[in-house]
Each structure stands twice: as structure tokens, then as C-alpha cells.
Amino acid sequence: MPQPETVDLDEFDRKILTILRQDGRITFTDLAEKVGLSKTPCQQRVRRLVASGVIVGFRAIVDPARIGLDHVAFAEVKLSDTREAALNEFNAAVRRIPEVEECHMIASSFDYLLKVRTADIRRYRSVLGEKISSLPHVASTSTFVAMETVRESSR
């Protein structure tokens, strides 16, 4: 899998990214003031960061507990086949499971670590049994249930 090209960032770009990661709804006027630029150059930099793929999107951050999705489990997944074609099949299929918030290939005794968010343990059991376990090349899974979220990157 080819590595994305690294983009050269200066101090202004890094400040813009830091601020936007904290508040994606900040106005360009306020952003420019905090960064120390005028509005137009600040807008141009943000457009360039988007065009270059450094900024890949903007989104609303939702409180999962408020919408009844505060059950988090991490599933270790071991595959029966780890050749490139099998990995690609698994990757494509796991992207289609909406309950899987994150999926990471891991260098360990298992192959993937999935972060799965559901309403409760019964729903997780259903997702695990009907969706995750039936993904291509899954040999085994192991689950760890989160008791409390102390820090999460999306908050």
C-alpha cells in the first residue's frame, strides 16, 4: 500500500490545523486573528490544506450517550489468511459495518483491532456474531468491553 505524500507545513499551517481540530466551526475572521494572518491569506491556506488532502473533511461530533450508543467494545480479529488479496477483502468488508468506528491492522498475535460502538452488550453480540465473525477470512475474535471512556480523539 503506497504511503501518502507528506505535505510541507509551516508554523501558520500548523496553528490553523491545531485550531480547526479544536473548533471546526470557527469563522475565518476569528481563525485568522488567532493565527496572526489576515482573513484572505488564512482562507487560502485552509483551501490549500483541503486541496492537498491534509484536511479531509469537517463533521459534527455527536455525544454517543445522548443517542443511545454508549457501549464500546474492542474486538481482536485473527484472520485465517493474511495474503494481500485476503487483507483487501477483509478491509473492504469491514468498512461496510456501520457499528465499526475504527479498524486498525496490528502487528501482534492477532491481525486487526476493531472499535465497535453499539447500544448495549446484546446489540454488540449480534454485530459480532452476524457481521464481524462472518467477514472474509475471520478465524477467531476476542472482545474487550470498555467500562469507561477517559479520553477519545473525537471529543
Side-chain angles (χ1 to χ4, degrees):
M1 185 171 264
Q3 290 293 321
E5 187 176 316
T6 302
V7 176
D8 288 328
L9 303 174
D10 65 14
E11 184 179 334
F12 289 114
D13 293 332
R14 291 184 192 288
K15 284 182 184 178
I16 288 169
L17 293 173
T18 298
I19 293 165
L20 287 177
R21 288 179 77 185
Q22 294 169 358
D23 182 4
R25 292 181 55 134
I26 191 171
T27 66
F28 279 115
T29 303
D30 291 341
L31 178 61
E33 183 180 312
K34 287 185 176 197
V35 171
L37 292 171
S38 62
K39 184 177 173 183
T40 301
C42 186
Q43 286 175 311
Q44 291 170 338
R45 283 175 176 270
V46 171
R47 273 193 230 104
R48 183 177 51 77
L49 291 166
V50 170
S52 67
V54 172
I55 296 175
V56 295
F58 294 88
R59 62 189 172 132
I61 298 171
V62 177
D63 181 348
R66 298 261 185 189
I67 59 171
L69 294 175
D70 55 346
H71 182 270
V72 176
F74 294 89
E76 294 178 352
V77 177
K78 186 165 182 63
L79 301 184
S80 58
D81 183 353
T82 56
R83 291 176 291 184
E84 199 64 31
L87 297 175
N88 290 337
E89 284 180 58
F90 177 87
N91 293 347
V94 78
R95 287 184 183 107
R96 293 191 291 269
I97 301 175
E99 295 87 354
V100 176
E101 281 191 349
E102 296 180 18
C103 175
H104 303 273
M105 182 185 282
I106 302 292
S108 181
S109 59
F110 58 96
D111 301 301
Y112 285 91
L113 181 64
L114 281 54
K115 178 181 177 186
V116 184
R117 185 178 293 280
T118 58
D120 53 38
I121 192 71
R122 285 186 286 301
R123 180 66 187 138
Y124 173 74
R125 184 172 180 238
S126 174
V127 169
L128 179 67
E130 296 173 19
K131 296 180 180 182
I132 295 171
S133 294
S134 65
L135 288 169
H137 311 288
V138 170
S140 64
T141 63
S142 183
T143 296
F144 301 89
V145 175
M147 296 185 342
E148 178 182 4
T149 299
V150 177
R151 182 172 189 265
E152 202 165 41
S153 65
S154 63
R155 290 190 193 200

